[in-house]
Amino acid sequence: MSNSISQYWVRLLINLIFSISHLATQDLMETQEEVKEEGMGYVVMRNLFSRETDFKMRTVKKSRETSLRESAERLALSRKKEEFQKKMNPDSLTHPPEFILKPRGQTVWEGKSVTLHCTVAGWPKPRVAWYKNNVLIDAKSHPEKYFTESQYNMHSLEIKKCNFSDTAEYRISALNVKGESSAFAPVIIKSEYLTFLKLISNLESFLNNVLHVPEYGVTFNTTIIDKFDVSFGREGETMSLGCTVIVYPTVKRYQPEIVWYRNGVALTPSKWVHMHWSGEQAILTLVHLNKEDEGLYTLRVNTKSGFDTHSAYVFVRDADVEEEGVPVAPLDVRCHDANKDYVVVTWKQPAVEGSSSIIGYLIDRLEVGTHHWTQCNDTPVKYARFPVTGLIEGRSYTFRVRALNNSGVSRPSRASDPVVAMDPSDRARLRAGPSAPWTGMIKFTEEDPTVGVVPGPSTDLAVTEATKSYVVLSWKPPIQRGHEGVMYYVEKCLVGTDTWQRVNTGMPVKSPRFALFDLAEGKSYSFRVRSCNSAGVGEPSEETGATTVGDRLDLPSVPGPVIPIRNTDTSVVVCWGASKEVKNLVGYYIEVSVSGSGVWVPCNNKPVKGTRFVCHGLNTMDKCVFRVKAVNAAGYSGSSAESEACIVQVDDSWSQLSFYKILIFCSKGQYFYLKFEEMLSVVYRIKQTFSYYSNTYLEIINPEKHHFAVTYLSTAVPSPPTGVTLQERVRDYMVLGWQAPAKAGGADIKGYYLDYRTVKDGVTSKWHEINLQAVTGTSYKVTDLKENVFYQFQVHAVNRAGISESSIPTIPLECKEWTVALPGPPHGLRVQEVRKDSMVLLWEPPTFNGRSAVTGYYVDYKEENGRWRCVQERSTRNTYMKVTGLQEGVSYRLRIHAKNLAGVGGPSKATDAILAETRPGTNEIVVDVDDDGVISLIFECSDLKENSQFVWSKNYEAFTDTSRLTIQTAAGRSRAIFNDPSLEDLGTYSCFVTNTDGVSASYTLTDRLLYVNCEQFSAVIPFKSEMAIELQEKGRVRFWAEVAKFTSNCQVEYVFNDNIIHEGKKYTMNFNKTTGIIEMFMDLLEVTDEGTFTFNLFDGKATGRTSLVLIGEGKLQKKSEFERAEWVRRQGPHFVKYLSFEVTPECDVHLKCKVGNIKPGTEIAWFKDGIEIEEDDEDCLCLTVPTIPQQISKKDAGVYEVKLKDERGKDKTLLNLTDAANSSTELKVMSTEHGIILYSFVVHYIEDLRVGWLHKESKISHSDRVQCGVTGEQLWLKINEPTEKDKGKYAIDIFDGKGSFKRVLDLSGQGKNRARVVGGLPDVVTIQEGKSLNLTGNVWGDPVPEVGWVKNDKPLLSDAHHTLKFEHGKFASITIAAVTTVDSGKYALLVKNKYGTEAAEFTVSVYIPEDEKKKNS
């Protein structure tokens, strides 16, 4: 019985589904006119209420058993229905339209065509319609303008030959039985001058129609006077804004409508906002100001004839903080997604973080009707968004937020509006108000009230938010839930395990929302929900996918460049580039700083959404810099780069217009008046467009009456660029180069725009723009290309008059890696100084160098129909060349090859044909030397145009040292004056006049010119180094000096004691004119050579003199003689190392010496006490003396001697081993970190040697503080932590059995003279990678100590990376250029003199900013 009933219901359901599907399809096929007459809502309502059925109330009693059976049958039927729908259609049969690919907004030039594309999915197949500003587009009625196409769910709209009126917001609407969806795309048409005149004319007509059309026989004229200005308030204060409104004529009992707006949103009276209208005055009072009150306030006066407005900005500054360094209060606290026991609280971060970054935020709640605030979170949250749970259903709450940093907690924000914890459906019913009475049949059964129905599983469980602090879940209530309320248990499971853990074990939640805290960051979890009521706990829902705990919302990227624009004497307009990578942007904060102060102050305390802001409240004539940072829920971005400094003063071009009416001159010859504030944006747009895109511009022709006029200029668009070539290509980018237009149009070229299109099998696509901002150079790197795809490119030039035609498209170029070893072609070829027999060619180096650097260039030329010939035999390293030997009247083309070690690369793009001729009126650069000897170069141009400029260069490159020349230009004449002529100024100087047909000339400055007209001024030859003396090998003496500036005609006269000396046996002379070094050599310095040596220089009329006095230089003479004797000694057999001794590990004593320049016939003899002993080795002669371990016997004592002799000469060496005490060295002192050490060395140490230490003639006793001993050959006395008592004379008494010897050292006052570092160096230095580090230590010691630097115990030497200096005997400095992480380590400054040594240690740590940001995040 039950099976037959079930089959009957299934068949009935199938028929019902097919009938519904058929009716739905039939409805969608209705004509467009029928759809307009009957909307979808009307059809549904008509079908619903068309059946006039009489409803009767009747009661049916059923037993409990019958009711359970019917419920089971209905449940089985619903399951079969779901299975059937899944079999019929995997997408559940039908679903509303959805845009897979939305149309994109576009900006095109006037006269071009634009196409919008999109892809729509849905079942049944949606029907689409295109709208322009919400007006239906009928493409069939206007085929010349629009073309629509729909294929395979892809839809497109083509707008042909766009004009300014096509600028609009376009919408595509998709509709089926499941609903409607829309997508929008703005289209902007770049217009020309006439279009803007039409805009102004239309605006005039619109204002006349709106403002001056009388209604009801009366035209109301509204005037607002006594206007409120830009205002500044502080948190907690009360502010009033007011205006006087005059409405004429006055009509009894008629009052205008007064509306106040904040940032375009109408205000309503509230606790914080009070409004008053007295009939003449409109007053807005803001009670207890908060940062939420900051914004643009507008008063709008509405009458029956129109409206009038006035706007001004209100700034609200933060109240003084209670504790220094804490952040200011957050703002704009709001509540979202309120439910029975759950609400999401959001806020905006403050502009000032305090002395340190904000760590997080604390959220407080207050139950309405109480006075106690409760903190909601124990751990501060970083995000500006937090889910609050544990609310009590039916009660109202308000929330506030506090910010926290290392210095403390901020004041609380303004409390949010109250929110009620209740079911959203109940809240919707309360907002909707009372509904119409319902009639129908009510069925009820006799059911045990104590027995309920266990709820089914919840549906659509999803993770809506996931941060490292919390995870938010949302779901839909179960369909099967009985007649009572449902609550929920949430369970979690760590991915990779099968263990489910209940989260809210204590109390189930009432809302289908839940926030989970205290999850392990970085781990993945799955979640599920169980519904429960009094009948029990239901089955779990489907589990969510794996969710990793962590922050999903990234910090915004740094905003783009900041540009300040002068506005008034207290304000500056600031524009900036939007953050490119940002999610859920809240806005931007702008900060200002007086240049050089380093103190940053916020300009706005409420984030602004746009990329333009007027910063008010500045001090007149302050030099200010600005920066911008973006903010979203995750936090702040980094601050942008500082803007250029801007002086706060009135912009002269607009100063006469503020708060006045202006007069606009229209194309019809008519005038109309508008308030400046209302027209500012339109006029600004006209001004910017006219000055950049058109051959007209907007100017003030009468500032006192505020007249404007549109004036034509004598400029034209430039000619197209030429020679577009490929300079480099890689897998995903290409570098293009081109030549500037031959005709600039009478104005400077402001830049270039590039287009590209793809080529496949000979079929080309449409042209697309590459760069939205003009490129200033003649090369560009095109990125984001696809490998192995062919592209074509074209280039447009732009000047003030407009954009040129495109260049000739390139041949199809394939984007792939350039693997050749040869360099690419040079680019940017241009020709100057065209004469009848010569011209100058300039070029830019190739972008692609090949496998090695470019080493030179070859220039080719040819006649118009001739063959290519090379200009020079050898390559040139310059990027310019003067081509000579041309024939007058013949046209030539030029090209360049680059070469590297692999060979010569391909040729560049050839220049256009250039006629070799000297045009009439061509001027050359003239040299002028005035009466004071000032040299200058003069160039005149008779073909000077309005915007032409003289551009000077040296060797065809821009000046790097502008202090060498002074440029004066007036009335078509430019003079380049040499400030201090010298050899550095030698070179080729050229002058090029812009906006002309190649007017240019050059002049080569030679050394002869530096001494032109010398009779008129006295020239002194300068020396780079004065005369100095140097002692060389063999005792030879060298006198030398270095000349700084001279010519090839410079002569030297050598003088000794006023007598001219000449080259001969005693003197050798040399003057190297390449290096400027003068030398004179003497083989030996004798007593008769005492006197004055002089070099006299003569260079034309210029003279120079340098001298050196050698009187009383006996030491130098002796040293010369010694060096001479040493050289003579080394001519025969001689000792390289004199006789010495060493102790071997076997405790033998070896006597050894090293000889040189010996031969087989050289006699070598050993002697002890004058008696010859046996000879050992000829290169290293050794004597082994057998000894007791660690002891030399007395019989070995004596004087040892070695002699060398042959026909070339002789030499000998001695070693005295008879007196150990007398062999000790002088006492020395060394400082350590624990104290001082006195020490002396002995040549050899024997066991019988007795050592005693004395202090002030008293024997020193051994203790823990004072110790003495012997280490090897060193005798030492160590004093730890010396005091004033330890000063005085110290002596060491050495007795060797025969006699004693005493060494003395006075330490009185020497402690203060020992070398030490007295300050200047830190303990730790932390520096950013790429910066330069400079540290200076203060050094003291007498005598001046020796200074050294070490890193990680290894000595540092001065080089290009490390610069080590020791200046004035007091300051030791180290400079590390462009530090890297390799420079991190332990450094020390070592100082040493005869009284001691000391080391000052410090640590350098180099960090990378990107790594620090990752650690902080």
Side-chain angles (χ1 to χ4, degrees), residues 892-912:
Y892 293 89
R893 295 180 183 270
L894 304 172
R895 70 182 186 185
I896 312 293
H897 298 262
K899 79 163 189 174
N900 61 7
L901 297 179
V904 180
S908 66
K909 188 80 173 182
T911 64
D912 295 333

PDB file of all heavy atoms in Angstrom, residues 892-912:
ATOM      1  N   TYR A 892      73.163  61.645 -47.670  1.00  0.00           N
ATOM      2  CA  TYR A 892      73.841  60.505 -47.071  1.00  0.00           C
ATOM      3  C   TYR A 892      72.938  59.861 -46.019  1.00  0.00           C
ATOM      4  O   TYR A 892      72.118  60.525 -45.383  1.00  0.00           O
ATOM      5  CB  TYR A 892      75.159  60.937 -46.413  1.00  0.00           C
ATOM      6  CG  TYR A 892      76.220  61.422 -47.377  1.00  0.00           C
ATOM      7  CD1 TYR A 892      76.285  62.757 -47.729  1.00  0.00           C
ATOM      8  CD2 TYR A 892      77.134  60.530 -47.933  1.00  0.00           C
ATOM      9  CE1 TYR A 892      77.240  63.213 -48.613  1.00  0.00           C
ATOM     10  CE2 TYR A 892      78.103  60.978 -48.816  1.00  0.00           C
ATOM     11  CZ  TYR A 892      78.155  62.316 -49.157  1.00  0.00           C
ATOM     12  OH  TYR A 892      79.118  62.752 -50.027  1.00  0.00           O
ATOM     13  N   ARG A 893      73.149  58.559 -45.842  1.00  0.00           N
ATOM     14  CA  ARG A 893      72.544  57.812 -44.746  1.00  0.00           C
ATOM     15  C   ARG A 893      73.649  57.251 -43.859  1.00  0.00           C
ATOM     16  O   ARG A 893      74.708  56.868 -44.376  1.00  0.00           O
ATOM     17  CB  ARG A 893      71.657  56.672 -45.254  1.00  0.00           C
ATOM     18  CG  ARG A 893      70.433  57.126 -46.028  1.00  0.00           C
ATOM     19  CD  ARG A 893      69.601  55.937 -46.498  1.00  0.00           C
ATOM     20  NE  ARG A 893      68.461  56.340 -47.294  1.00  0.00           N
ATOM     21  CZ  ARG A 893      67.256  56.627 -46.798  1.00  0.00           C
ATOM     22  NH1 ARG A 893      67.058  56.494 -45.486  1.00  0.00           N
ATOM     23  NH2 ARG A 893      66.282  56.993 -47.567  1.00  0.00           N
ATOM     24  N   LEU A 894      73.404  57.154 -42.559  1.00  0.00           N
ATOM     25  CA  LEU A 894      74.421  56.699 -41.614  1.00  0.00           C
ATOM     26  C   LEU A 894      73.849  55.569 -40.763  1.00  0.00           C
ATOM     27  O   LEU A 894      72.642  55.508 -40.506  1.00  0.00           O
ATOM     28  CB  LEU A 894      74.863  57.847 -40.703  1.00  0.00           C
ATOM     29  CG  LEU A 894      75.399  59.106 -41.406  1.00  0.00           C
ATOM     30  CD1 LEU A 894      75.614  60.213 -40.397  1.00  0.00           C
ATOM     31  CD2 LEU A 894      76.693  58.800 -42.134  1.00  0.00           C
ATOM     32  N   ARG A 895      74.734  54.696 -40.325  1.00  0.00           N
ATOM     33  CA  ARG A 895      74.352  53.619 -39.411  1.00  0.00           C
ATOM     34  C   ARG A 895      75.555  53.244 -38.542  1.00  0.00           C
ATOM     35  O   ARG A 895      76.688  53.633 -38.846  1.00  0.00           O
ATOM     36  CB  ARG A 895      73.838  52.397 -40.169  1.00  0.00           C
ATOM     37  CG  ARG A 895      74.904  51.651 -40.951  1.00  0.00           C
ATOM     38  CD  ARG A 895      74.330  50.467 -41.724  1.00  0.00           C
ATOM     39  NE  ARG A 895      75.384  49.672 -42.357  1.00  0.00           N
ATOM     40  CZ  ARG A 895      75.157  48.639 -43.165  1.00  0.00           C
ATOM     41  NH1 ARG A 895      73.901  48.283 -43.469  1.00  0.00           N
ATOM     42  NH2 ARG A 895      76.175  47.966 -43.690  1.00  0.00           N
ATOM     43  N   ILE A 896      75.321  52.458 -37.469  1.00  0.00           N
ATOM     44  CA  ILE A 896      76.358  52.136 -36.487  1.00  0.00           C
ATOM     45  C   ILE A 896      76.416  50.622 -36.267  1.00  0.00           C
ATOM     46  O   ILE A 896      75.375  49.942 -36.255  1.00  0.00           O
ATOM     47  CB  ILE A 896      76.093  52.831 -35.129  1.00  0.00           C
ATOM     48  CG1 ILE A 896      75.766  54.308 -35.338  1.00  0.00           C
ATOM     49  CG2 ILE A 896      77.291  52.690 -34.200  1.00  0.00           C
ATOM     50  CD1 ILE A 896      76.887  55.120 -35.844  1.00  0.00           C
ATOM     51  N   HIS A 897      77.631  50.098 -36.075  1.00  0.00           N
ATOM     52  CA  HIS A 897      77.860  48.737 -35.587  1.00  0.00           C
ATOM     53  C   HIS A 897      78.552  48.819 -34.232  1.00  0.00           C
ATOM     54  O   HIS A 897      79.447  49.647 -34.048  1.00  0.00           O
ATOM     55  CB  HIS A 897      78.768  47.921 -36.539  1.00  0.00           C
ATOM     56  CG  HIS A 897      78.208  47.729 -37.906  1.00  0.00           C
ATOM     57  ND1 HIS A 897      77.553  46.587 -38.287  1.00  0.00           N
ATOM     58  CD2 HIS A 897      78.202  48.555 -38.991  1.00  0.00           C
ATOM     59  CE1 HIS A 897      77.179  46.697 -39.550  1.00  0.00           C
ATOM     60  NE2 HIS A 897      77.568  47.887 -40.009  1.00  0.00           N
ATOM     61  N   ALA A 898      78.153  47.957 -33.316  1.00  0.00           N
ATOM     62  CA  ALA A 898      78.878  47.819 -32.039  1.00  0.00           C
ATOM     63  C   ALA A 898      79.712  46.548 -32.081  1.00  0.00           C
ATOM     64  O   ALA A 898      79.349  45.568 -32.749  1.00  0.00           O
ATOM     65  CB  ALA A 898      77.899  47.778 -30.865  1.00  0.00           C
ATOM     66  N   LYS A 899      80.826  46.543 -31.346  1.00  0.00           N
ATOM     67  CA  LYS A 899      81.671  45.348 -31.324  1.00  0.00           C
ATOM     68  C   LYS A 899      82.050  45.022 -29.881  1.00  0.00           C
ATOM     69  O   LYS A 899      82.106  45.889 -29.007  1.00  0.00           O
ATOM     70  CB  LYS A 899      82.926  45.547 -32.175  1.00  0.00           C
ATOM     71  CG  LYS A 899      84.014  46.357 -31.506  1.00  0.00           C
ATOM     72  CD  LYS A 899      85.356  46.155 -32.207  1.00  0.00           C
ATOM     73  CE  LYS A 899      86.487  46.793 -31.417  1.00  0.00           C
ATOM     74  NZ  LYS A 899      87.817  46.512 -31.964  1.00  0.00           N
ATOM     75  N   ASN A 900      82.280  43.728 -29.649  1.00  0.00           N
ATOM     76  CA  ASN A 900      82.811  43.258 -28.370  1.00  0.00           C
ATOM     77  C   ASN A 900      83.893  42.229 -28.651  1.00  0.00           C
ATOM     78  O   ASN A 900      84.373  42.117 -29.797  1.00  0.00           O
ATOM     79  CB  ASN A 900      81.695  42.712 -27.473  1.00  0.00           C
ATOM     80  CG  ASN A 900      80.984  41.515 -28.101  1.00  0.00           C
ATOM     81  OD1 ASN A 900      81.410  41.013 -29.151  1.00  0.00           O
ATOM     82  ND2 ASN A 900      79.926  41.063 -27.473  1.00  0.00           N
ATOM     83  N   LEU A 901      84.279  41.456 -27.640  1.00  0.00           N
ATOM     84  CA  LEU A 901      85.361  40.490 -27.845  1.00  0.00           C
ATOM     85  C   LEU A 901      84.975  39.394 -28.824  1.00  0.00           C
ATOM     86  O   LEU A 901      85.849  38.766 -29.445  1.00  0.00           O
ATOM     87  CB  LEU A 901      85.754  39.872 -26.494  1.00  0.00           C
ATOM     88  CG  LEU A 901      86.326  40.854 -25.464  1.00  0.00           C
ATOM     89  CD1 LEU A 901      86.650  40.119 -24.167  1.00  0.00           C
ATOM     90  CD2 LEU A 901      87.564  41.561 -26.011  1.00  0.00           C
ATOM     91  N   ALA A 902      83.672  39.138 -28.978  1.00  0.00           N
ATOM     92  CA  ALA A 902      83.232  38.072 -29.887  1.00  0.00           C
ATOM     93  C   ALA A 902      83.201  38.516 -31.330  1.00  0.00           C
ATOM     94  O   ALA A 902      83.210  37.678 -32.235  1.00  0.00           O
ATOM     95  CB  ALA A 902      81.848  37.571 -29.458  1.00  0.00           C
ATOM     96  N   GLY A 903      83.140  39.837 -31.576  1.00  0.00           N
ATOM     97  CA  GLY A 903      83.109  40.317 -32.944  1.00  0.00           C
ATOM     98  C   GLY A 903      82.239  41.548 -33.075  1.00  0.00           C
ATOM     99  O   GLY A 903      81.867  42.207 -32.104  1.00  0.00           O
ATOM    100  N   VAL A 904      81.873  41.853 -34.336  1.00  0.00           N
ATOM    101  CA  VAL A 904      81.089  43.043 -34.663  1.00  0.00           C
ATOM    102  C   VAL A 904      79.631  42.637 -34.823  1.00  0.00           C
ATOM    103  O   VAL A 904      79.310  41.685 -35.537  1.00  0.00           O
ATOM    104  CB  VAL A 904      81.609  43.720 -35.946  1.00  0.00           C
ATOM    105  CG1 VAL A 904      80.780  44.953 -36.279  1.00  0.00           C
ATOM    106  CG2 VAL A 904      83.076  44.094 -35.766  1.00  0.00           C
ATOM    107  N   GLY A 905      78.739  43.365 -34.145  1.00  0.00           N
ATOM    108  CA  GLY A 905      77.317  43.079 -34.198  1.00  0.00           C
ATOM    109  C   GLY A 905      76.665  43.634 -35.443  1.00  0.00           C
ATOM    110  O   GLY A 905      77.303  44.250 -36.310  1.00  0.00           O
ATOM    111  N   GLY A 906      75.365  43.421 -35.540  1.00  0.00           N
ATOM    112  CA  GLY A 906      74.615  43.880 -36.698  1.00  0.00           C
ATOM    113  C   GLY A 906      74.457  45.389 -36.713  1.00  0.00           C
ATOM    114  O   GLY A 906      74.645  46.071 -35.711  1.00  0.00           O
ATOM    115  N   PRO A 907      74.066  45.944 -37.868  1.00  0.00           N
ATOM    116  CA  PRO A 907      73.946  47.403 -37.982  1.00  0.00           C
ATOM    117  C   PRO A 907      72.676  47.911 -37.315  1.00  0.00           C
ATOM    118  O   PRO A 907      71.700  47.187 -37.139  1.00  0.00           O
ATOM    119  CB  PRO A 907      73.909  47.624 -39.498  1.00  0.00           C
ATOM    120  CG  PRO A 907      73.287  46.367 -40.026  1.00  0.00           C
ATOM    121  CD  PRO A 907      73.764  45.249 -39.129  1.00  0.00           C
ATOM    122  N   SER A 908      72.730  49.171 -36.940  1.00  0.00           N
ATOM    123  CA  SER A 908      71.551  49.823 -36.400  1.00  0.00           C
ATOM    124  C   SER A 908      70.616  50.217 -37.542  1.00  0.00           C
ATOM    125  O   SER A 908      70.937  50.047 -38.722  1.00  0.00           O
ATOM    126  CB  SER A 908      71.961  51.072 -35.608  1.00  0.00           C
ATOM    127  OG  SER A 908      72.515  52.032 -36.502  1.00  0.00           O
ATOM    128  N   LYS A 909      69.476  50.753 -37.158  1.00  0.00           N
ATOM    129  CA  LYS A 909      68.567  51.310 -38.161  1.00  0.00           C
ATOM    130  C   LYS A 909      69.215  52.535 -38.775  1.00  0.00           C
ATOM    131  O   LYS A 909      69.741  53.404 -38.080  1.00  0.00           O
ATOM    132  CB  LYS A 909      67.247  51.690 -37.490  1.00  0.00           C
ATOM    133  CG  LYS A 909      66.147  52.093 -38.440  1.00  0.00           C
ATOM    134  CD  LYS A 909      65.476  50.879 -39.058  1.00  0.00           C
ATOM    135  CE  LYS A 909      64.264  51.276 -39.885  1.00  0.00           C
ATOM    136  NZ  LYS A 909      63.587  50.097 -40.448  1.00  0.00           N
ATOM    137  N   ALA A 910      69.228  52.630 -40.091  1.00  0.00           N
ATOM    138  CA  ALA A 910      69.887  53.741 -40.768  1.00  0.00           C
ATOM    139  C   ALA A 910      69.085  55.017 -40.569  1.00  0.00           C
ATOM    140  O   ALA A 910      67.858  55.004 -40.388  1.00  0.00           O
ATOM    141  CB  ALA A 910      70.055  53.448 -42.249  1.00  0.00           C
ATOM    142  N   THR A 911      69.786  56.145 -40.572  1.00  0.00           N
ATOM    143  CA  THR A 911      69.119  57.439 -40.485  1.00  0.00           C
ATOM    144  C   THR A 911      68.403  57.747 -41.795  1.00  0.00           C
ATOM    145  O   THR A 911      68.610  57.085 -42.817  1.00  0.00           O
ATOM    146  CB  THR A 911      70.130  58.544 -40.181  1.00  0.00           C
ATOM    147  OG1 THR A 911      71.051  58.642 -41.288  1.00  0.00           O
ATOM    148  CG2 THR A 911      70.910  58.229 -38.912  1.00  0.00           C
ATOM    149  N   ASP A 912      67.548  58.751 -41.737  1.00  0.00           N
ATOM    150  CA  ASP A 912      66.958  59.244 -42.978  1.00  0.00           C
ATOM    151  C   ASP A 912      68.038  59.901 -43.832  1.00  0.00           C
ATOM    152  O   ASP A 912      69.130  60.235 -43.348  1.00  0.00           O
ATOM    153  CB  ASP A 912      65.847  60.239 -42.665  1.00  0.00           C
ATOM    154  CG  ASP A 912      64.681  59.574 -41.946  1.00  0.00           C
ATOM    155  OD1 ASP A 912      64.483  58.357 -42.143  1.00  0.00           O
ATOM    156  OD2 ASP A 912      63.980  60.274 -41.194  1.00  0.00           O
TER     157      ASP A 912
END
